[in-house]
Protein backbone atom coordinates (compact mmCIF):
# COMPACT_ATOMS: atom_id res chain seq x y z
CA UNK A 1 0.00 0.00 0.00
CA UNK A 2 2.83 2.37 0.86
CA UNK A 3 4.46 1.95 -2.54
CA UNK A 4 1.13 2.67 -4.27
CA UNK A 5 0.76 5.91 -2.28
CA UNK A 6 4.34 6.95 -3.12
CA UNK A 7 3.68 6.22 -6.78
CA UNK A 8 0.57 8.39 -6.75
CA UNK A 9 2.22 11.32 -4.99
CA UNK A 10 5.15 11.25 -7.40
CA UNK A 11 2.90 11.84 -10.39
CA UNK A 12 2.78 15.39 -11.74
CA UNK A 13 -0.36 17.27 -10.79
CA UNK A 14 -2.92 17.60 -13.55
CA UNK A 15 -4.20 21.10 -14.31
CA UNK A 16 -7.69 21.60 -12.99
CA UNK A 17 -10.59 21.60 -15.41
CA UNK A 18 -11.57 25.09 -14.27
CA UNK A 19 -8.08 26.45 -14.91
CA UNK A 20 -8.00 24.89 -18.37
CA UNK A 21 -11.40 26.38 -19.21
CA UNK A 22 -10.33 29.81 -17.92
CA UNK A 23 -7.11 29.68 -19.95
CA UNK A 24 -9.03 28.73 -23.07
CA UNK A 25 -11.61 31.46 -22.51
CA UNK A 26 -8.86 34.04 -22.02
CA UNK A 27 -7.25 32.99 -25.28
CA UNK A 28 -10.57 33.27 -27.12
CA UNK A 29 -11.18 36.68 -25.56
CA UNK A 30 -7.76 37.92 -26.70
CA UNK A 31 -8.46 36.65 -30.21
CA UNK A 32 -11.82 38.41 -30.22
CA UNK A 33 -10.24 41.67 -29.04
CA UNK A 34 -7.51 41.41 -31.69
CA UNK A 35 -10.19 40.82 -34.33
CA UNK A 36 -12.18 43.91 -33.31
CA UNK A 37 -9.11 46.02 -32.41
CA UNK A 38 -6.20 44.57 -34.38
CA UNK A 39 -2.73 45.40 -33.04
CA UNK A 40 -1.23 48.40 -34.78
CA UNK A 41 2.06 50.25 -34.54
CA UNK A 42 1.93 52.86 -31.78
CA UNK A 43 3.89 55.22 -34.00
CA UNK A 44 2.27 55.06 -37.44
CA UNK A 45 -0.81 52.85 -37.14
CA UNK A 46 0.24 50.08 -39.54
CA UNK A 47 -0.91 46.59 -38.51
CA UNK A 48 1.69 44.55 -36.59
CA UNK A 49 1.86 41.27 -34.67
CA UNK A 50 1.10 42.46 -31.12
CA UNK A 51 -0.26 45.38 -29.15
CA UNK A 52 2.01 47.95 -27.50
CA UNK A 53 4.87 47.87 -29.98
CA UNK A 54 6.36 49.67 -32.96
CA UNK A 55 6.75 48.48 -36.53
CA UNK A 56 10.35 47.96 -37.72
CA UNK A 57 10.37 51.28 -39.61
CA UNK A 58 9.26 53.33 -36.60
CA UNK A 59 11.57 51.42 -34.26
CA UNK A 60 14.60 52.19 -36.42
CA UNK A 61 13.68 55.87 -36.60
CA UNK A 62 13.61 56.38 -32.81
CA UNK A 63 16.77 58.17 -31.66
CA UNK A 64 17.43 56.22 -28.47
CA UNK A 65 19.87 57.82 -26.04
CA UNK A 66 22.81 55.53 -25.40
CA UNK A 67 26.23 56.12 -23.87
CA UNK A 68 28.29 58.24 -24.04
CA UNK A 69 26.04 60.88 -22.49
CA UNK A 70 26.38 63.52 -19.77
CA UNK A 71 26.05 61.83 -16.38
CA UNK A 72 24.20 64.87 -15.02
CA UNK A 73 21.94 66.14 -17.82
CA UNK A 74 21.62 62.89 -19.77
CA UNK A 75 22.32 64.60 -23.10
CA UNK A 76 24.22 62.44 -25.59
CA UNK A 77 27.65 63.46 -26.79
CA UNK A 78 28.27 63.78 -30.52
CA UNK A 79 31.58 61.93 -30.08
CA UNK A 80 33.40 59.94 -27.41
CA UNK A 81 34.56 61.93 -24.39
CA UNK A 82 37.19 61.07 -21.82
CA UNK A 83 35.84 60.45 -18.35
CA UNK A 84 36.54 63.17 -15.83
CA UNK A 85 37.17 62.98 -12.10
CA UNK A 86 35.53 59.91 -10.60
CA UNK A 87 35.04 58.36 -14.02
CA UNK A 88 32.08 60.63 -14.82
CA UNK A 89 31.29 62.23 -18.16
CA UNK A 90 29.94 65.72 -17.53
CA UNK A 91 29.01 68.24 -20.21
CA UNK A 92 30.13 71.86 -20.21
CA UNK A 93 26.48 72.87 -19.83
CA UNK A 94 26.12 70.86 -16.61
CA UNK A 95 29.30 72.40 -15.20
CA UNK A 96 28.29 75.95 -16.09
CA UNK A 97 24.69 75.66 -14.89
CA UNK A 98 24.20 72.69 -12.53
CA UNK A 99 20.55 71.57 -12.22
CA UNK A 100 18.65 71.25 -8.95
CA UNK A 101 18.35 67.49 -9.44
CA UNK A 102 21.26 65.04 -9.26
CA UNK A 103 20.89 63.49 -12.71
CA UNK A 104 18.52 63.02 -15.59
CA UNK A 105 17.91 59.94 -17.72
CA UNK A 106 15.73 59.77 -20.82
CA UNK A 107 14.78 57.13 -23.36
CA UNK A 108 14.98 59.05 -26.62
CA UNK A 109 15.42 62.40 -28.33
CA UNK A 110 12.15 64.33 -28.53
CA UNK A 111 11.57 64.14 -32.27
CA UNK A 112 9.79 62.01 -34.86
CA UNK A 113 8.15 58.90 -33.44
CA UNK A 114 9.13 59.66 -29.83
CA UNK A 115 7.48 63.07 -30.11
CA UNK A 116 4.31 61.52 -31.55
CA UNK A 117 4.15 59.06 -28.64
CA UNK A 118 4.49 61.88 -26.10
CA UNK A 119 1.79 63.93 -27.82
CA UNK A 120 -0.47 60.89 -28.17
CA UNK A 121 -0.31 60.23 -24.44
CA UNK A 122 -0.49 63.86 -23.37
CA UNK A 123 -2.98 65.44 -25.76
CA UNK A 124 -4.96 62.58 -27.34
CA UNK A 125 -5.67 60.58 -24.15
CA UNK A 126 -3.87 57.49 -25.46
CA UNK A 127 -3.16 56.17 -21.99
CA UNK A 128 -2.42 52.69 -23.37
CA UNK A 129 0.90 54.09 -24.64
CA UNK A 130 2.07 54.59 -21.05
CA UNK A 131 2.66 50.84 -20.59
CA UNK A 132 5.12 50.62 -23.48
CA UNK A 133 6.76 53.96 -22.70
CA UNK A 134 7.24 53.04 -19.02
CA UNK A 135 8.92 49.75 -19.99
CA UNK A 136 11.47 51.66 -22.04
CA UNK A 137 11.95 54.16 -19.21
CA UNK A 138 12.64 51.31 -16.80
CA UNK A 139 15.51 50.21 -19.01
CA UNK A 140 16.95 53.73 -19.25
CA UNK A 141 16.73 54.37 -15.52
CA UNK A 142 17.35 50.82 -14.30
CA UNK A 143 20.41 51.58 -12.18
CA UNK A 144 18.71 54.40 -10.27
CA UNK A 145 15.32 52.71 -9.99
CA UNK A 146 17.00 49.77 -8.24
CA UNK A 147 18.63 52.13 -5.73
CA UNK A 148 15.70 54.47 -5.09
CA UNK A 149 13.32 54.56 -2.14
CA UNK A 150 10.29 55.76 -4.06
CA UNK A 151 8.92 56.99 -7.40
CA UNK A 152 6.73 60.05 -7.82
CA UNK A 153 5.28 62.01 -10.76
CA UNK A 154 5.49 65.68 -11.56
CA UNK A 155 1.98 66.69 -10.43
CA UNK A 156 -0.58 68.82 -12.24
CA UNK A 157 -2.41 71.67 -10.55
CA UNK A 158 -5.86 70.45 -9.49
CA UNK A 159 -7.60 72.82 -11.91
CA UNK A 160 -5.68 71.44 -14.88
CA UNK A 161 -6.19 67.88 -13.68
CA UNK A 162 -9.95 68.53 -13.50
CA UNK A 163 -9.96 69.63 -17.14
CA UNK A 164 -7.65 66.94 -18.49
CA UNK A 165 -8.96 64.10 -16.24
CA UNK A 166 -5.56 62.43 -16.02
CA UNK A 167 -1.88 63.22 -15.51
CA UNK A 168 0.37 61.67 -18.16
CA UNK A 169 3.35 61.71 -15.78
CA UNK A 170 1.31 59.87 -13.15
CA UNK A 171 0.33 57.22 -15.71
CA UNK A 172 3.99 56.60 -16.52
CA UNK A 173 4.89 56.55 -12.82
CA UNK A 174 2.16 54.04 -11.98
CA UNK A 175 3.48 51.55 -14.54
CA UNK A 176 7.09 52.19 -13.55
CA UNK A 177 6.27 51.40 -9.92
CA UNK A 178 4.71 48.09 -10.97
CA UNK A 179 7.65 47.18 -13.20
CA UNK A 180 10.32 48.10 -10.65
CA UNK A 181 8.53 47.02 -7.48
CA UNK A 182 9.35 50.35 -5.85
CA UNK A 183 6.94 52.39 -3.70
CA UNK A 184 4.63 54.69 -5.64
CA UNK A 185 4.30 58.15 -4.05
CA UNK A 186 1.39 59.75 -5.92
CA UNK A 187 0.35 62.15 -3.15
CA UNK A 188 3.71 63.32 -1.80
CA UNK A 189 4.34 66.32 -4.05
CA UNK A 190 1.70 68.85 -5.06
CA UNK A 191 1.59 71.82 -7.40
CA UNK A 192 0.57 74.81 -5.32
CA UNK A 193 0.83 77.43 -8.05
CA UNK A 194 -1.52 77.50 -11.04
CA UNK A 195 1.02 78.08 -13.80
CA UNK A 196 0.49 79.05 -17.41
CA UNK A 197 1.21 76.52 -20.14
CA UNK A 198 4.94 76.27 -20.78
CA UNK A 199 4.55 75.95 -24.56
CA UNK A 200 5.65 79.16 -26.29
CA UNK A 201 7.49 80.62 -23.30
CA UNK A 202 11.18 81.49 -23.35
CA UNK A 203 13.57 79.57 -21.10
CA UNK A 204 13.54 82.49 -18.61
CA UNK A 205 9.75 82.71 -18.88
CA UNK A 206 9.43 78.99 -18.08
CA UNK A 207 11.62 79.37 -15.00
CA UNK A 208 9.61 82.32 -13.73
CA UNK A 209 6.37 80.49 -14.49
CA UNK A 210 7.14 77.47 -12.28
CA UNK A 211 9.20 79.17 -9.56
CA UNK A 212 7.95 77.99 -6.13
CA UNK A 213 5.21 76.00 -7.89
CA UNK A 214 5.62 72.80 -5.84
CA UNK A 215 5.45 71.80 -2.19
CA UNK A 216 5.38 68.66 -0.07
CA UNK A 217 1.90 67.61 1.03
CA UNK A 218 1.64 67.99 4.85
CA UNK A 219 2.05 64.63 6.53
CA UNK A 220 4.22 63.22 3.72
CA UNK A 221 7.54 64.69 4.84
CA UNK A 222 8.82 61.22 5.79
CA UNK A 223 8.38 60.12 2.15
CA UNK A 224 11.10 62.59 1.21
CA UNK A 225 13.51 63.25 4.08
CA UNK A 226 16.75 61.30 3.61
CA UNK A 227 15.29 59.36 0.66
CA UNK A 228 16.59 58.68 -2.83
CA UNK A 229 13.75 59.52 -5.17
CA UNK A 230 12.97 59.15 -8.87
CA UNK A 231 10.90 62.03 -10.26
CA UNK A 232 9.01 61.10 -13.44
CA UNK A 233 7.90 63.31 -16.34
CA UNK A 234 6.96 62.64 -19.95
CA UNK A 235 9.30 65.09 -21.68
CA UNK A 236 12.18 67.34 -20.66
CA UNK A 237 12.55 70.59 -22.59
CA UNK A 238 14.22 73.48 -20.73
CA UNK A 239 14.04 71.60 -17.44
CA UNK A 240 12.27 74.44 -15.62
CA UNK A 241 9.41 72.28 -14.33
CA UNK A 242 11.47 69.36 -13.02
CA UNK A 243 14.05 71.76 -11.57
CA UNK A 244 11.34 73.51 -9.55
CA UNK A 245 9.91 70.17 -8.41
CA UNK A 246 13.36 68.83 -7.52
CA UNK A 247 14.11 72.01 -5.55
CA UNK A 248 11.01 71.40 -3.40
CA UNK A 249 12.12 67.81 -2.76
CA UNK A 250 15.64 68.91 -1.87
CA UNK A 251 14.34 71.58 0.53
CA UNK A 252 12.36 68.84 2.25
CA UNK A 253 15.56 66.85 2.78
CA UNK A 254 15.67 64.43 -0.16
CA UNK A 255 19.09 62.79 -0.28
CA UNK A 256 19.00 62.35 -4.05
CA UNK A 257 16.65 63.19 -6.92
CA UNK A 258 16.92 61.42 -10.26
CA UNK A 259 14.71 62.75 -13.05
CA UNK A 260 13.46 60.07 -15.43
CA UNK A 261 11.67 61.15 -18.62
CA UNK A 262 10.60 59.45 -21.80
CA UNK A 263 11.85 62.12 -24.22
CA UNK A 264 14.57 64.76 -24.07
CA UNK A 265 14.48 67.89 -26.21
CA UNK A 266 17.92 69.01 -27.31
CA UNK A 267 18.87 72.36 -28.82
CA UNK A 268 22.23 73.98 -29.42
CA UNK A 269 25.69 72.46 -29.06
CA UNK A 270 26.39 69.72 -26.54
Amino acid sequence: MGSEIDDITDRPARPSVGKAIFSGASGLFRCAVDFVYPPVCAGCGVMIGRHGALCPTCWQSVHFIERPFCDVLGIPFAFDHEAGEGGRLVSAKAIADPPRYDRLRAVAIHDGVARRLVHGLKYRDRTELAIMMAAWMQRSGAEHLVQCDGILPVPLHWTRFARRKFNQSAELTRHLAKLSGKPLLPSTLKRVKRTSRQVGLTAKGRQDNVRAAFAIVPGHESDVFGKRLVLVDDVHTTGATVSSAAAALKRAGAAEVTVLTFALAISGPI
Side-chain angles (χ1 to χ4, degrees):
M1 178 66 72
S3 61
E4 291 178 3
I5 293 174
D6 291 341
D7 181 57
I8 292 172
T9 55
D10 287 342
R11 295 172 189 172
R14 293 180 180 178
S16 67
V17 174
K19 187 174 182 180
I21 292 173
F22 178 77
S23 178
S26 298
L28 289 173
F29 177 75
R30 286 193 298 270
C31 289
V33 170
D34 287 349
F35 179 78
V36 178
Y37 301 104
V40 297
C41 171
C44 68
V46 68
M47 289 185 64
I48 55 176
R50 63 185 179 89
H51 293 281
L54 297 178
C55 68
T57 300
C58 285
W59 176 266
Q60 292 172 10
S61 69
V62 177
H63 298 132
F64 290 103
I65 297 175
E66 304 287 353
R67 290 192 180 276
F69 54 71
C70 173
D71 279 324
V72 176
L73 298 178
I75 53 180
F77 292 118
F79 51 87
D80 288 344
H81 281 58
E82 291 185 6
E85 185 177 349
R88 303 178 74 207
L89 290 171
V90 181
S91 64
K93 184 176 180 180
I95 295 172
D97 187 20
R100 303 301 296 270
Y101 48 80
D102 292 276
R103 69 189 62 79
L104 180 140
R105 296 293 181 265
V107 172
I109 303 299
H110 187 234
D111 64 4
V113 173
R115 188 173 186 272
R116 290 202 296 273
L117 293 175
V118 168
H119 281 220
L121 173 62
K122 190 169 187 174
Y123 300 117
R124 298 204 300 275
D125 298 341
R126 293 192 59 192
T127 54
E128 79 280 2
L129 295 176
I131 301 173
M132 178 184 71
M133 294 164 71
W136 293 358
M137 292 170 72
Q138 184 194 25
R139 175 181 176 273
S140 296
E143 175 187 353
H144 308 291
L145 285 167
V146 167
Q147 298 173 353
C148 81
D149 299 302
I151 310 174
L152 67 165
V154 172
L156 292 176
H157 190 267
W158 70 267
T159 56
R160 184 160 295 166
F161 182 84
R163 290 199 308 271
R164 190 178 291 177
K165 305 302 182 187
F166 82 102
N167 176 3
Q168 71 280 358
S169 299
E171 288 295 306
L172 293 169
T173 307
R174 182 167 61 87
H175 292 295
L176 271 168
K178 287 182 180 179
L179 291 168
S180 64
K182 292 295 182 174
L184 173 64
L185 307 174
S187 305
T188 298
L189 187 67
K190 67 177 178 178
R191 194 182 290 242
V192 295
K193 177 181 174 183
R194 188 175 184 274
T195 57
S196 304
R197 288 188 61 188
Q198 295 281 71
V199 177
L201 297 178
T202 64
K204 172 99 171 33
R206 288 177 179 237
Q207 291 175 358
D208 293 340
N209 189 38
V210 295
R211 182 172 289 114
F214 300 93
I216 306 303
V217 175
H220 288 264
E221 293 83 2
S222 61
D223 293 346
V224 178
F225 188 79
K227 302 297 177 61
R228 292 174 295 185
L229 303 172
V230 171
L231 179 66
V232 177
D233 206 0
D234 58 335
V235 60
H236 181 281
T237 48
T238 64
T241 299
V242 292
S243 290
S244 180
L249 294 171
K250 289 282 189 170
R251 285 195 300 270
E256 191 174 270
V257 177
T258 296
V259 174
L260 181 57
T261 75
F262 179 76
L264 173 63
I266 295 179
S267 61
I270 297 173

